[in-house]
Amino acid sequence: SVELAHGHFHSPSRRAFRNDQMSVCPACGQDLGLTEWKSDPLRWDLDPPCSEAEWAYLADLPHAPEFMATQACGYMNKICRGCYSARVEVMAKVRSRIRQQGGIEQMRPTQRMRKEYDAAHEFDLVVGRPARIHGLQSVSAAHLNGQCCRLVRLDEETQRWTVELLNQEQKALKASNLEVSRGIDAEYDVAQATYLLESAAAKPAAAAPVAEERRPLGSRTA
């Protein structure tokens, strides 16, 4: 309380208390003191509010504003005038680049999204993907260890994968005998190219056709 003339006391006004409490912007974190506080347009003006997925998509695009790497997609409390203006531009992009194009589900994945997806699924066994055989113990199959193959289909009953070797021979193997990775993807391409070159070199060269002898016009046969 503040003592005034004649011994009266006066408590700070609600307005002054509120400005003191909001001197730090929740978005940028700067202590701005007295400024014009505004509601976050991404939370209160956009219907529905900006989602985490929409925010992450725009933040990952080339030339995205730097503040998108540290700020949240929406704030319940009021933000400073500078953050408000910057986030109005983001709101326009949410509408034009995402919602008017069919929504976030229709957006092409950004480079970071692709990297995160690839990292999460690097070791998944998927139809059509290259694999490398390992861990076979039987004498009749041990020679397959280390060979590259391609996954053809999974038998749901036996839980065995049908794989195709480089020579197009097919085998039924357990998932535990197959390993996949990005490195094996590249290894398969090299192994396949090498196999094709060696197969072509092993084939006997076709005999050159004998040219038919032509006699000059008007010549007599012997």
Side-chain angles (χ1 to χ4, degrees):
S1 299
V2 180
E3 184 176 0
L4 302 178
H6 309 293
H8 294 289
F9 290 83
H10 176 69
S11 299
S13 66
R14 180 181 298 272
R15 178 187 178 95
F17 176 78
R18 181 166 180 168
N19 283 342
D20 178 66
Q21 293 297 310
M22 294 188 61
S23 63
V24 176
C25 174
C28 64
Q30 296 185 20
D31 188 347
L32 301 171
L34 296 178
T35 186
E36 183 179 1
W37 299 99
K38 291 179 172 289
S39 298
D40 182 6
L42 294 173
R43 175 67 180 82
W44 300 104
D45 297 341
L46 196 60
D47 186 22
C50 179
S51 68
E52 292 282 357
E54 290 173 326
W55 179 268
Y57 180 84
L58 292 177
D60 200 36
L61 292 177
H63 310 298
E66 293 183 1
F67 71 84
M68 295 191 73
T70 57
Q71 293 187 15
C73 66
Y75 293 95
M76 296 291 292
N77 294 333
K78 291 189 175 183
I79 58 179
C80 69
R81 180 172 56 185
C83 287
Y84 172 85
S85 299
R87 294 169 73 86
V88 164
E89 296 181 7
V90 175
M91 180 175 67
K93 292 180 180 179
V94 171
R95 288 171 171 164
S96 63
R97 295 195 178 187
I98 298 178
R99 299 189 179 181
Q100 293 177 8
Q101 306 302 322
I104 191 65
E105 294 80 7
Q106 303 299 322
M107 297 296 97
R108 295 180 178 179
T110 63
Q111 184 176 4
R112 184 178 66 181
M113 291 177 180
R114 286 193 293 269
K115 288 182 178 179
E116 291 175 350
Y117 179 88
D118 290 343
H121 299 277
E122 179 179 0
F123 305 106
D124 290 355
L125 298 176
V126 181
V127 171
R129 188 175 187 185
R132 185 168 58 206
I133 302 170
H134 72 108
L136 296 176
Q137 302 296 325
S138 66
V139 176
S140 60
H143 69 281
L144 297 174
N145 290 329
Q147 290 193 33
C148 289
C149 61
R150 186 176 291 277
L151 303 174
V152 178
R153 62 181 173 274
L154 174 65
D155 189 315
E156 296 292 345
E157 294 184 2
T158 64
Q159 288 298 300
R160 286 177 176 266
W161 278 92
T162 297
V163 302
E164 185 177 88
L165 305 178
L166 295 175
N167 62 4
Q168 299 184 336
E169 183 181 356
Q170 293 190 347
K171 300 289 184 179
L173 302 175
K174 296 179 181 179
S176 58
N177 295 124
L178 298 167
E179 56 182 344
V180 296
S181 68
R182 287 194 295 271
I184 293 175
D185 293 342
E187 181 182 331
Y188 176 87
D189 293 337
V190 174
Q192 185 181 46
T194 302
Y195 174 81
L196 293 175
L197 289 174
E198 292 177 348
S199 298
K203 292 180 179 180
V210 179
E212 182 182 355
E213 183 180 357
R214 295 180 179 272
R215 295 177 179 276
L217 292 177
S219 61
R220 297 180 180 179
T221 59

